Amino acid sequence: MMKKVLLCVCALVTTLSLAACSGAPAASSASTPASVSEPASSSTAVSSSETQSEAASDTADYTAYSINFDVPEGFEQVDATGTGASVIYQAEDGSNINVVIMENDGSLASDVSMEDLVGPIEEAFSQQYGEDVHLLDVAFTTGNIGPCPYYRLDYSVTVAGVDLYQTGIGISADRGYTISYTDTNYGRWRDVFEESISSITPVEK
């Protein structure tokens, strides 16, 4: 199952990041991605209470901020070579959090529509697995985290016999960030992922 999950990661990160940002990959090393915190138990992690109140003003220049978020306990960094992701954190059951960091080309994550994402993701999965794949229970929102425009796409999907629950967050900041959460275990990580998503914080550079 692990190979199937990693293939799903490839399809997801490629379509989410390319649909939301046409810039080139950022030059930072995959082993030390910009602005990703240590696991949530670490004292260096930014708390979710700072997300929109203390860390950034809603009227600030979004390009002056990088993005920080808490990585939950139970997720360890793994080799992201060949996946299209800058970094991947993975649990023992194959559930994962991956980050793609692209150079900022001036496009805004909040300008992305649900149609911009759903079609390309379904097509990527269908091409990857040679079968018709359709996203279910799709939910889409846009807005701002502090000064930084974002979109959020939630859905469930079954590919190659694996049931996945996925959430993709695209954020415009100093660079274009796409943070994708994949739960392979029937919603086991849903609450944990929501805590991590709530911790996403713009941090002034």
Side-chain angles (χ1 to χ4, degrees):
M1 185 177 98
M2 196 72 68
K3 183 177 180 181
K4 294 179 181 178
V5 170
L6 288 176
L7 288 173
C8 292
V9 170
C10 292
L12 176 65
V13 300
T14 301
T15 52
L16 281 178
S17 59
L18 291 180
C21 178
S22 59
S28 61
S29 168
S31 62
T32 55
S35 307
V36 177
S37 75
E38 295 298 317
S41 59
S42 169
S43 61
T44 62
V46 177
S47 68
S48 59
S49 64
E50 295 178 320
T51 300
Q52 295 188 19
S53 58
E54 297 176 18
S57 165
D58 288 340
T59 60
D61 176 9
Y62 71 90
T63 62
Y65 291 80
S66 59
I67 297 300
N68 197 1
F69 72 101
D70 294 346
V71 178
E73 291 188 42
F75 286 78
E76 301 294 335
Q77 186 172 341
V78 298
D79 184 10
T81 303
T83 65
S86 302
V87 64
I88 297 176
Y89 300 94
Q90 187 165 282
E92 290 184 356
D93 64 3
S95 297
N96 59 79
I97 303 166
N98 62 76
V99 183
V100 176
I101 303 173
M102 308 286 283
E103 295 294 351
N104 191 339
D105 67 348
S107 60
L108 297 179
S110 57
D111 289 342
V112 174
S113 69
M114 184 171 70
E115 291 74 19
D116 292 332
L117 299 173
V118 171
I121 291 173
E122 289 181 335
E123 183 178 356
F125 280 140
S126 297
Q127 290 180 351
Q128 186 82 58
Y129 294 98
E131 59 184 82
D132 288 336
V133 175
H134 299 285
L135 307 188
L136 303 174
D137 307 314
V138 178
F140 180 77
T141 57
T142 61
N144 285 68
I145 302 175
C148 297
Y150 82 96
Y151 72 79
R152 171 173 173 162
L153 178 71
D154 297 271
Y155 60 88
S156 61
V157 65
T158 300
V159 288
V162 179
D163 295 323
L164 304 174
Y165 300 90
Q166 298 187 309
T167 297
I169 311 287
I171 309 167
S172 299
D174 61 328
R175 290 180 281 183
Y177 296 81
T178 305
I179 307 171
S180 304
Y181 298 80
T182 300
D183 187 339
T184 68
N185 203 356
Y186 303 99
R188 171 190 173 189
W189 297 104
R190 188 167 299 177
D191 291 342
V192 172
F193 283 172
E194 286 299 328
E195 290 179 4
S196 178
I197 291 168
S198 295
S199 78
I200 295 174
T201 305
V203 178
E204 191 167 11
K205 296 167 59 178

